[in-house]
Amino acid sequence: MKKFGYLLLGGVAVIVLLSNLAPMVALAISLLIMYFAYKGFIKTTSTFNKVVLAIIGVIALFASASNLPAILGFVALYVLYVIYKNWKKPAKTKLVEDDDPFTNFEKEWNDLKGNY
């Protein structure tokens, strides 16, 4: 049943990821343009270049803000990663000896006596 839940959640995550793929690429490109505009703004000494790079940076900032729903695509990508990592994990089971009160008593008694 756990695998079915993972499969269902993975299917939904794939659909969300594919529907947000184009905004994710546009967000990455606009953030890259904004980064290079900022780096150029810091390095230049010319006032004209600073104004041009500031305008480019503001336009890239607005483009990034318009692609903010692409974060859902990154969340879906992370969900797919977590599902992939947990797919082969065995289910946690209790050990039979932990249920036995006498075994636990013997362990505690040996710890109190100093017999390890």
Side-chain angles (χ1 to χ4, degrees):
M1 194 64 174
K2 188 176 181 181
K3 298 267 186 187
F4 178 71
Y6 280 152
L7 193 62
L8 189 65
L9 187 62
V12 170
V14 165
I15 291 170
V16 170
L17 178 67
L18 290 177
S19 67
N20 286 318
L21 197 57
M24 288 170 57
V25 171
L27 178 66
I29 291 171
S30 62
L31 287 176
L32 191 66
I33 291 170
M34 189 169 54
Y35 172 75
F36 283 120
Y38 174 74
K39 287 300 232 180
F41 182 84
I42 296 298
K43 288 182 182 178
T44 189
T45 56
S46 170
T47 307
F48 178 73
N49 285 345
K50 281 191 184 261
V51 169
V52 169
L53 288 172
I55 290 171
I56 292 172
V58 168
I59 291 171
L61 178 69
F62 288 146
S64 298
S66 70
N67 289 316
L68 213 52
I71 292 176
L72 290 175
F74 291 114
V75 170
L77 188 64
Y78 177 73
V79 167
L80 284 173
Y81 171 75
V82 170
I83 289 172
Y84 176 75
K85 289 304 241 183
N86 291 331
W87 186 261
K88 296 280 183 176
K89 270 189 184 175
K92 292 181 182 178
T93 58
K94 280 188 167 181
L95 295 175
V96 176
E97 69 181 40
D98 287 344
D99 292 337
D100 187 17
F102 297 109
T103 306
N104 289 332
F105 175 76
E106 291 294 327
K107 287 180 188 175
E108 292 296 323
W109 184 255
N110 286 332
D111 286 343
L112 288 173
K113 287 180 18 181
N115 299 334
Y116 298 106

